[in-house]
Amino acid sequence: MQMGAQRSPTHIMIADLQGSAHLTDLAVAMKQNPNLKVQLNGGFYDLATPYFAAVYELRQLPLQASLEGNIEMHFYISGHMVYAHEPDLKALHANVAAFIEKTRNGTTGPRS
């Protein structure tokens, strides 16, 4: 798993999900810091990090129900390079900006 450029004690943007060992680490981090928020952004037609694999792995995290609301997922029509499709680039920008703003205020996003 590669973390995005934004890092702080209270939020993570996941750029790439590869392997459940990293997801176990994410679950531990979320349990140790219940204020940690996670956002997943990906393309529906991404062959490198497939849509269903990403959703499945995040939904399999060994978390208590109270922490599931700390994860939000956004998917776009594009493939792996979401930013190469201008409408998706704009949507990605808006979602990331909203995520950063929400985490500044200490609110959580829905798990979609």
Side-chain angles (χ1 to χ4, degrees):
M1 176 170 58
Q2 299 170 348
M3 299 298 174
Q6 278 294 335
R7 293 182 188 182
S8 84
T10 58
H11 69 276
I12 296 174
M13 287 178 288
I14 298 176
D16 202 359
L17 285 174
Q18 294 180 348
S20 58
H22 297 298
L23 291 171
T24 301
D25 294 342
L26 176 61
V28 169
M30 291 180 74
K31 290 175 185 175
Q32 290 177 351
N33 180 359
N35 295 317
L36 181 67
K37 310 295 186 270
V38 177
Q39 182 182 68
L40 168 71
N41 290 286
F44 282 116
Y45 302 103
D46 185 342
L47 298 177
T49 53
Y51 164 78
F52 286 111
V55 171
Y56 176 81
E57 289 199 24
L58 278 180
R59 293 210 170 139
Q60 298 304 310
L61 285 176
L63 295 174
Q64 58 265 39
S66 63
L67 294 177
E68 290 179 1
N70 290 3
I71 300 171
E72 64 181 73
M73 295 181 254
H74 301 280
F75 293 94
Y76 309 92
I77 299 302
S78 63
H80 189 72
M81 298 184 303
V82 174
Y83 50 82
H85 183 243
E86 190 169 342
D88 287 346
L89 171 63
K90 290 177 181 179
L92 173 66
H93 180 272
N95 288 332
V96 171
F99 178 75
I100 292 169
E101 189 59 36
K102 283 190 291 191
T103 58
R104 283 185 187 156
N105 297 328
T107 61
T108 63
R111 187 174 188 174
S112 48

